[in-house]
């Protein structure tokens, strides 16, 4: 294809809009320091395994690769989420193309994705960022199969799902939704008589084997985590909270477009299985899941809504609808930007209430400060006591921060019974003294014969987060060896 012809190809504006998304994320990547979860993934990558308590192994592996290449830096760690975020903008336009959109309507779909709160908020290095991309890619591939009848794409779909299973297990919800969509589709169901869907299934299962083997070897710790986490979510607001957050993720101004997309999919008998896929994925997580679990269906449904708008008969009416929706999306993005983009400096975060509105932002602040404060307590111990002391934290992020930033304070690696850190306590470690972070005296009464209050963690700018006010205690006269108490301290929630 000649360069001039390629420039007029339908995909070109979609790539341009995706490049805007990429540029935005690269500009903002270093605005805030490392988040709790990012710290956890970095340290998990330093303990490579086929599984972890609360996620499969792919994200820690990516963190290990990133930090091996670039060192530990928020900006470089967030490069991959920037790429997957841009790819989702591109995929939204490509979904619109598969739904019958022309060049202009497909570009409209990518623009809507660009300004949607859901995709604007994707910038941290977390399992969810990669999971969302894989969901949307899988939906796009199923749509391609539906349109082309090319069953060979099931093998690629199986590979995408298999990678998803090694990323975040919530993709199992999409697997069920895809199965239902295939079974109810008169176009897709006949393909089950070919070998390709089954080769795709075999590919997905093969990808999932390493993590499954790890689960078997360790007594299925993720099931314990899911039970504990599901209970926490259910107590966090239930159906109303789910719907409230889902509307926010779609964007209140874009809800009519999302609804139009669902209607378009449902009214077209050939596309109806895709509407059923969306419904199943959402309903699976309504009561016990978080709204962002099925949210990767949002860009696809918005793309369908853009196609519906593109079919408005009146050219004037069509342009007015597109203009109104884009203007509404931009206004909405501007209103929400302080709580979905890292724009507000940490010094103003508490004063403006951003730390309460978006805990993810709040939990990027103060990890180095906490490490310095814990280091002051640890280093104030008499040398002979310090030689037999360890630092014990109540949550993963605290231990991870001390591991990452503690070298400057002459601190040993911290230990924690929280999530996968529980497995990483050195087997021979039997301290006489524990400097603890985040525990109360009551928490440690069974273990510590003597507890001294050494202060509380003070996070700069009065930001309310996981560390603000966390007690720092000195525990001595242990009633039993730490290895004996370790099973009691375990926290898989």
């Amino acid at each position: 294809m000649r360069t001039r012809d390629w420039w007029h190809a339908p995909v070109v504006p979609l790539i341009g809009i995706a490049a805007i998304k990429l540029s935005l994320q690269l500009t903002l990547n270093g605005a805030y320091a490392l988040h709790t979860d990012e710290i956890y993934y970095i340290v998990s990558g330093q303990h490579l395994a086929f599984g972890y308590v609360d996620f499969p192994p792919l994200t820690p592996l990516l963190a290990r690769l990133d930090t091996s290449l670039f060192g530990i830096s928020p900006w470089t760690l967030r490069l991959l989420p920037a790429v997957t975020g841009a790819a989702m903008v591109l995929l939204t336009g490509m979904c619109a193309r598969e739904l019958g959109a022309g060049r202009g309507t497909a570009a409209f779909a990518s623009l809507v994705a660009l300004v949607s709160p859901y995709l604007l908020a994707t910038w941290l290095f977390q399992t969810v960022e990669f999971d969302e991309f894989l969901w949307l890619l899988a939906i796009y591939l199923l749509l391609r199969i539906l349109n082309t009848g090319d069953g060979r794409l099931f093998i690629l779909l199986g590979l995408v799902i298999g990678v998803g299973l090694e990323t975040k297990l919530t993709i199992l919800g999409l697997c069920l939704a895809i199965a239902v969509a295939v079974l109810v589709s008169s176009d897709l169901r006949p393909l089950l008589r070919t070998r390709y869907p089954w080769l795709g299934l075999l590919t997905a299962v093969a990808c999932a084997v390493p993590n499954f083997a790890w689960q078997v070897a360790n007594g299925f710790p993720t099931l314990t985590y899911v039970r504990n986490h599901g209970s926490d979510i259910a107590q966090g607001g239930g159906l109303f909270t789910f719907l409230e957050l889902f509307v926010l993720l779609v964007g209140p101004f874009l809800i009519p477009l999302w609804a139009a997309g669902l209607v378009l999919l449902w009214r077209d008998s050939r596309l109806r299985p895709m509407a059923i896929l969306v419904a199943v994925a959402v309903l699976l997580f309504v009561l016990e899941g978080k709204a962002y679990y099925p949210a990767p269906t949002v860009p696809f449904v918005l793309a369908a809504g853009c196609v519906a708008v593109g079919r408005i008969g009146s050219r004037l009416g069509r342009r007015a609808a597109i203009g109104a929706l884009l203007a509404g999306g931009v206004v909405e993005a501007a209103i929400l930007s302080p709580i979905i983009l890292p724009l507000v400096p940490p010094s103003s975060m508490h004063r403006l209430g951003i730390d309460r509105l978006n805990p993810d932002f709040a939990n990027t602040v103060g990890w180095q400060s906490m490490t310095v404060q814990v280091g002051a307590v640890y280093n104030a111990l008499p040398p002979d006591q310090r030689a037999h002391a360890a630092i014990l934290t109540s949550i993963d992020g605290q231990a991870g921060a001390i591991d990452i930033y503690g070298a400057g304070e002459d601190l040993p690696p911290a230990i924690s019974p929280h999530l996968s850190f529980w497995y990483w306590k050195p087997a021979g470690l039997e301290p006489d003294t524990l400097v603890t972070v985040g525990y109360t005296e009551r928490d440690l009464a069974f273990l510590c014969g003597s507890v001294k209050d050494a202060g509380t963690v003070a996070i700069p700018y009065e930001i309310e987060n996981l560390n603000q006010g966390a007690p720092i205690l000195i525990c001595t006269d242990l009633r039993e060896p730490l290895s004996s108490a370790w099973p009691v301290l375990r926290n898989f929630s």
Side-chain angles (χ1 to χ4, degrees):
M1 181 184 290
R2 292 178 303 173
T3 302
R4 184 173 60 183
D5 294 334
W6 181 87
W7 182 253
H8 292 286
V11 75
V12 170
L14 311 185
I15 294 173
I17 297 165
I20 295 172
K21 166 68 172 172
L22 179 62
S23 300
L24 176 65
Q25 288 200 231
L26 294 180
T27 301
L28 298 175
N29 264 0
Y32 292 161
L34 292 172
H35 179 269
T36 319
D37 293 345
E38 293 175 320
I39 289 171
Y40 182 26
Y41 297 131
I42 290 171
V43 178
S44 295
Q46 296 168 357
H47 296 81
L48 288 178
F50 285 124
Y52 301 84
V53 172
D54 44 337
F55 41 76
L58 183 61
T59 304
L61 177 60
L62 293 175
R64 175 66 172 267
L65 291 173
D66 186 279
T67 54
S68 296
L69 288 171
F70 305 115
I72 297 176
S73 158
W75 193 89
T76 55
L77 186 68
R78 294 165 187 160
L79 283 174
L80 278 176
V83 172
T84 57
M88 290 184 73
V89 169
L90 174 63
L91 277 172
T92 303
M94 293 175 68
C95 284
R97 289 284 298 166
E98 288 298 321
L99 292 168
R103 177 183 168 106
T105 301
F108 171 43
S110 282
L111 283 171
V112 167
L114 176 66
V115 300
S116 67
Y118 172 62
L119 286 182
L120 280 176
T122 58
W123 62 281
L124 289 172
F125 184 96
Q126 295 176 310
T127 55
V128 66
E129 314 299 341
F130 307 118
D131 176 64
E132 291 168 346
F133 165 70
L134 292 166
W135 270 61
L136 187 57
L137 180 57
I139 291 170
Y140 171 75
L141 287 172
L142 186 65
L143 190 58
R144 282 285 295 167
I145 296 169
L146 181 62
N147 281 340
T148 65
D150 187 353
R152 293 173 297 180
L153 288 173
F154 271 113
I155 300 174
L156 183 55
L157 176 60
L159 178 61
V160 170
I161 289 174
V163 173
L165 289 170
E166 293 295 296
T167 303
K168 191 174 177 68
L169 294 180
T170 48
I171 204 169
L172 287 169
L174 178 63
C175 294
L176 179 58
I178 288 174
V180 172
V182 171
L183 290 174
V184 302
S185 170
S186 59
D187 296 295
L188 294 173
R189 195 169 55 249
L191 294 174
L192 294 175
R193 292 194 289 268
T194 71
R195 64 182 181 272
Y196 299 116
W198 309 109
L199 288 173
L201 177 62
L202 184 62
T203 301
V205 170
C207 289
V209 164
N211 183 242
F212 182 76
W214 183 87
Q215 296 290 339
V216 172
N218 289 278
F220 293 95
T222 299
L223 289 180
T224 302
Y225 170 78
V226 169
R227 284 194 295 268
N228 294 339
H229 200 52
S231 174
D232 292 341
I233 293 170
Q235 294 172 7
L239 176 61
F240 177 78
T241 299
F242 178 96
L243 293 175
E244 184 180 42
L245 181 55
F246 193 80
V247 169
L248 183 61
L249 288 171
V250 175
F253 291 4
L254 294 176
I255 282 289
L257 186 65
W258 183 83
L262 272 185
V263 171
L264 179 139
L265 294 171
W266 182 259
R267 285 184 173 176
D268 187 324
S269 59
R270 188 179 62 85
L271 294 174
R272 190 170 298 153
M274 302 302 295
I276 293 172
L277 179 152
V278 172
V280 171
V282 171
L283 290 173
L284 280 173
F285 295 106
V286 161
L287 294 180
E288 293 190 2
K290 295 182 179 179
Y292 63 78
Y293 287 169
T297 62
V298 167
F300 168 65
V301 178
L302 288 175
C306 291
V307 174
V309 171
R311 293 178 181 176
I312 293 174
S314 164
R315 185 176 181 181
L316 183 61
R318 184 169 62 251
R319 287 185 172 180
I322 291 173
L325 286 164
L326 285 178
V330 170
V331 169
E332 180 177 76
I335 293 171
L336 295 175
S337 60
I339 61 171
I340 60 176
L341 291 173
L343 300 175
V344 176
S347 58
S348 302
M349 205 178 281
H350 180 68
R351 178 173 56 83
L352 297 175
I354 303 298
D355 52 351
R356 293 184 294 276
L357 291 170
N358 192 337
D360 276 344
F361 287 179
N363 287 312
T364 64
V365 181
W367 293 108
Q368 286 180 282
S369 175
M370 179 218 70
T371 302
V372 170
Q373 294 169 61
V374 173
V377 173
Y378 178 85
N379 289 315
L381 296 174
D384 57 338
Q385 185 180 12
R386 190 165 64 246
H388 301 283
I391 300 173
L392 173 70
T393 76
S394 63
I395 61 173
D396 52 3
Q398 293 164 340
I402 290 169
D403 286 357
I404 290 172
Y405 302 119
E409 306 300 318
D410 295 322
L411 300 182
I415 57 173
S416 177
H418 189 215
L419 299 175
S420 296
F421 268 90
W422 187 77
Y423 291 102
W424 302 334
K425 183 185 81 67
L429 181 65
E430 295 294 352
D432 297 327
T433 298
L434 293 171
V435 175
T436 71
V437 187
Y439 288 103
T440 66
E441 291 189 33
R442 185 175 180 179
D443 295 331
L444 300 174
F446 80 99
L447 176 62
C448 304
S450 175
V451 177
K452 177 183 176 183
D453 184 353
T456 58
V457 175
I459 298 302
Y461 315 120
E462 300 181 325
I463 288 174
E464 297 178 14
N465 65 11
L466 291 170
N467 278 322
Q468 188 69 268
I472 304 175
L473 305 175
I474 300 174
C475 164
T476 55
D477 301 326
L478 271 60
R479 303 182 193 277
E480 58 182 307
L482 183 59
S483 57
S484 299
W486 206 239
V488 179
L489 287 167
R490 191 184 79 168
N491 179 11
F492 284 0
S493 64

